[in-house]
Amino acid sequence: MYPGRGIEYDACMGTSKVRAPHEHVSTGEYRFVPLRNQDTHIPLAIPRAWRWHSLGRALGDVDVRGLMSMLPGWWQTEPLVYKEARLAGVPFFLTQPDNLAVASRAIDTALMNVVVIEFKRAAGFVSDLREHRDTLPSLWVTVELLGEALSPLPYPALGKNARREIHVAPGVPILTQCAFLCGSSPSLFHTSDTFTVAYEQDATRISSGEDFIPAITGFRVPRVLPRAGVCECGGEIVSL
Amino acid sequence: MMSLQEIRDLVKESTGSPHSSFYRRLYRIPDNVPCLDITSWDEWRALPALTKDDLARVPLKERTFVPWNALETLSATSGTSGKPPVFLPRCYLGALVEHLLAPGTAGGALLSGILQYQHEHERALEELGMDVHVVQLDVQNIAGSVLMAEKLGARTIMGYAYAVSALCPHVAHTRFAESVSVIAVAGERWSRSEFRAVQSVFPNAAIRYSYGTRESGTQAISDVLDTSHRPVFRSIDAVHHEFIDKSGKPLELSPGAEGEILITTRAGAPSGFPFLRQRVGDVVRIVDAQPDGSCTFELLGRAELEFIKMPGGMLRIDEIVRVVEGLGMLESDEFEAHCFEEDGGRMPRKRIVMHLALRTIDDAQRVAHAIARELHLGPSFTYADGVREGTYLPLTCMSLEERRAGGKRKRIVKHW
């Protein structure tokens, strides 16, 4: 087990399995994010070079001036979001999820026009913004962890420039939205290229490609993700 | 400390920047003068101090000293002045981590409770050739952060004093707490009882202090604690510190002298914003002064206290004003909020005594209950909530006249 002796995880999530290869690996090649939202006894190793590509693509689709992250600190996603901001050539600002006063002021006075925020906090923030000002961010990227995505929370009214993402673990998206899907329906997604999706009668199983560490095999989502046609971007659409 | 030549170069660069005319305007440099060239310490000391108001008056882009696409991050001032935060452009500052790390940290992890960018810590460690994971300590999910740090073998904790204190109840009597060998504390110092409480939770940890600001990074480090566990700081090489008295004149550097600190630092290379004679509002006491102008100092606190950090949130003067004004049970809305700390349980508990213009002393208990119910220390956390969970002792009231006549009548007084 960790540290320095390789990584081995066998995380039981219902019938789902998340396994890392058992060979010895250099710790410096990986970073760690918590696998579950309320229980972090499983640090998930992701390659240090890992990129949050869907966020990078989203930034490329708007006139981004600054990127603000309001994701929980313990998700350990700051370096991933920062990396996408640098690649987009814009400054990055990190604030605590509940510090709405500083976050709103960053939008007003610090040119932060793209906000990455946890799904369940977005409604409160947008309502606070609407109450006090006219300016709203140009783009929202909301993040839900897979276990929470099936919750009955209504999707907050963030406007047409809101991209909903569902992540296996923070910073590891499985369901994303492109510029065409964003704002059209909060329940339509593309699946991430990192994963393959297999359908069963009452469930969907998600597996990672061979080069992804740790290997995720048959991660079970307890519902079918029906195919819902082809998007204008050319990608297949699934419905949650 | 910086030499006069280093200061001179910094002033030239800052006033001759092609990206920002912030300092040119602050120093009223005529258009036909390319930059300011100071040649003596007297000329340097004649420059006006930089204040938060100076920063707030100028839009962010106009005080950014690098092209926008080269700007890495923003930092927000901490709000300790009670004024709204001001955002400052920032490039990589470097992080002074090497002297704070515990032996054996390499190959393990660092639990960081500093609201600094995690990637900066990672970069600083990489530059040192150290294979260390940085785990962000999130005070809103301490258990989650600690579990991650524990799994990754953290031996060092780096954090603001309040964040480390918040950690204590969650890790007391655990193997993790016993395994921690260094706690590097930044920001406000602990009271003596808080210090003792932290030591009891982390019995094997050496405690090292640093002093700095969010916007400009580490300014000074402490090698020794004085006899009452107050850190004594020495400035790091990359910065220049001056001290002024209440009238704004240079403080005579002798042991025991007290004054405000002025900070000068390039803050990164390239620098998103260089700080020249920044008046941050911290009051210090000189401990030891050398003939070359260097000194050691201890931090006394804020020049003007507008809030106090408490477990669970922050006691803010504007929030007290809101509650007191809304009570409708007092002769006037003047008050003094006296904050105490008392030993008890794992961690010392805070207690507030409100001095108010009560109509009759018989109202004291009713008013105290009303304030405790209404006074928010966080978005959804009241003083009464803190009492219920055992973090605070019950709030009490007494008549303002009994306490003090004259002087500022809406204020917070800290007694630890």
Side-chain angles (χ1 to χ4, degrees), chain B residues 317-328:
Chain B
I317 199 156
D318 54 349
E319 171 64 2
I320 304 175
V321 168
R322 182 191 71 80
V323 172
V324 168
E325 286 180 353
L327 278 179

Side-chain angles (χ1 to χ4, degrees), chain B residues 250-268:
Chain B
L251 186 72
E252 189 174 332
L253 294 186
S254 56
E258 293 179 10
E260 260 189 82
I261 189 169
L262 301 185
I263 288 175
T264 296
T265 174
R266 190 180 298 275

Side-chain angles (χ1 to χ4, degrees), chain A:
Chain A
M1 295 298 282
Y2 203 80
R5 302 275 182 180
I7 307 160
E8 180 181 341
Y9 305 117
D10 187 353
C12 294
M13 304 182 70
T15 57
S16 306
K17 297 278 188 202
V18 178
R19 287 180 191 276
H22 294 184
E23 69 265 29
H24 289 211
V25 291
S26 161
T27 59
E29 293 171 22
Y30 298 90
R31 63 173 64 260
F32 294 84
V33 291
L35 188 57
R36 288 198 221 174
N37 205 24
Q38 297 301 324
D39 180 358
T40 59
H41 69 273
I42 312 160
L44 181 72
I46 57 176
R48 197 162 277 247
W50 177 253
R51 275 198 58 196
W52 185 341
H53 282 293
S54 55
L55 177 58
R57 284 194 295 268
L59 296 178
D61 289 340
V62 293
D63 179 19
V64 55
R65 287 170 295 166
L67 172 60
M68 174 165 68
S69 171
M70 298 175 71
L71 298 178
W74 70 281
W75 279 13
Q76 315 295 333
T77 49
E78 187 274 340
L80 299 173
V81 186
Y82 165 76
K83 189 187 287 182
E84 298 307 324
R86 285 314 312 133
L87 290 167
V90 293
F92 170 57
F93 179 62
L94 174 74
T95 189
Q96 289 177 315
D98 66 342
N99 201 341
L100 303 189
V102 168
S104 339
R105 202 165 165 78
I107 291 169
D108 285 346
T109 68
L111 306 171
M112 293 293 113
N113 70 335
V114 177
V115 176
V116 189
I117 189 169
E118 192 180 4
F119 166 78
K120 66 185 180 189
R121 291 183 183 268
F125 185 42
V126 77
S127 143
D128 186 75
L129 284 176
R130 287 213 165 101
E131 199 172 310
H132 298 105
R133 57 188 45 77
D134 297 327
T135 315
L136 289 177
S138 307
L139 175 68
W140 297 86
V141 178
T142 67
V143 180
E144 294 152 79
L145 299 187
L146 197 54
E148 294 186 332
L150 307 176
S151 74
L153 274 177
Y155 196 72
L158 301 175
K160 61 178 183 176
N161 289 324
R163 297 197 186 193
R164 185 181 186 189
E165 295 198 353
I166 294 168
H167 290 207
V168 172
V172 186
I174 170 69
L175 297 176
T176 63
Q177 293 190 318
C178 68
F180 297 102
L181 288 182
C182 108
S184 62
S185 167
S187 60
L188 300 180
F189 296 94
H190 296 302
T191 51
S192 162
D193 295 341
T194 311
F195 300 97
T196 56
V197 178
Y199 298 101
E200 298 176 348
Q201 190 171 11
D202 59 349
T204 305
R205 287 196 183 270
I206 297 164
S207 301
S208 59
E210 286 180 2
D211 57 345
F212 187 77
I213 296 174
I216 293 179
T217 311
F219 196 107
R220 184 177 186 273
V221 182
R223 71 164 62 176
V224 177
L225 299 177
R227 292 183 180 90
V230 176
C231 179
E232 286 181 62
C233 75
E236 187 181 23
I237 302 173
V238 295
S239 175
L240 186 64

Side-chain angles (χ1 to χ4, degrees), chain B residues 71 97 156 228 230 288:
Chain B
L71 184 59
V97 289
T156 300
S228 56
R230 289 193 300 260
D288 185 33

Side-chain angles (χ1 to χ4, degrees), chain A residues 2-3 27-28 30-32 34 40 48 65 73-74 76 78 82 86 89 91-94 98 105-106 112, chain B residues 68-69 71-74 85 87 107 117-119 122 126 131 133 135-136 138 140-141 144 147-148 151-152:
Chain A
Y2 203 80
T27 59
Y30 298 90
R31 63 173 64 260
F32 294 84
T40 59
R48 197 162 277 247
R65 287 170 295 166
W74 70 281
Q76 315 295 333
E78 187 274 340
Y82 165 76
R86 285 314 312 133
F92 170 57
F93 179 62
L94 174 74
D98 66 342
R105 202 165 165 78
M112 293 293 113
Chain B
W68 190 252
N69 63 6
L71 184 59
E72 294 185 19
T73 56
L74 298 178
F87 296 90
Y117 292 100
Q118 195 173 339
H119 73 268
E122 289 185 353
E126 277 169 20
D131 181 13
H133 291 290
V135 177
Q136 187 69 45
D138 185 345
Q140 293 176 346
N141 186 346
L147 279 166
M148 177 75 85
K151 287 284 182 189
L152 300 184

Side-chain angles (χ1 to χ4, degrees), chain B residues 2-168:
Chain B
M2 296 166 79
S3 67
L4 179 61
Q5 185 59 49
E6 287 170 319
I7 293 277
R8 184 181 182 182
D9 292 343
L10 182 57
V11 173
K12 272 187 185 173
E13 286 168 31
S14 305
T15 54
S17 167
H19 303 294
S20 172
S21 57
F22 177 82
Y23 281 108
R24 294 183 66 84
R25 280 188 264 171
L26 185 65
Y27 300 155
R28 300 175 192 278
I29 299 171
D31 287 346
N32 61 344
V33 177
C35 62
L36 185 63
D37 187 9
I38 56 155
T39 55
S40 70
W41 284 116
D42 283 344
E43 284 180 53
W44 164 248
R45 283 191 281 263
L47 295 176
L50 169 68
T51 66
K52 191 170 177 177
D53 289 339
D54 296 326
L55 294 165
R57 270 194 290 272
V58 179
L60 175 66
K61 265 197 164 175
E62 292 177 28
R63 49 185 166 78
T64 299
F65 282 71
V66 290
W68 190 252
N69 63 6
L71 184 59
E72 294 185 19
T73 56
L74 298 178
S75 62
T77 54
S78 61
T80 46
S81 64
K83 295 172 185 169
V86 173
F87 296 90
L88 284 153
R90 168 166 153 160
C91 294
Y92 175 58
L93 296 177
L96 208 64
V97 289
E98 62 270 34
H99 76 288
L100 300 174
L101 294 175
T105 299
L110 159 73
L111 178 61
S112 172
I114 293 182
L115 297 176
Q116 191 175 14
Y117 292 100
Q118 195 173 339
H119 73 268
E120 289 192 347
H121 279 322
E122 289 185 353
R123 184 168 159 185
L125 290 159
E126 277 169 20
E127 285 174 359
L128 290 168
M130 299 182 76
D131 181 13
V132 178
H133 291 290
V134 179
V135 177
Q136 187 69 45
L137 168 60
D138 185 345
V139 291
Q140 293 176 346
N141 186 346
I142 289 174
S145 306
V146 168
L147 279 166
M148 177 75 85
E150 195 172 9
K151 287 284 182 189
L152 300 184
R155 297 286 176 273
T156 300
I157 298 173
M158 188 179 283
Y160 293 119
Y162 78 90
V164 178
S165 291
L167 188 63
C168 288

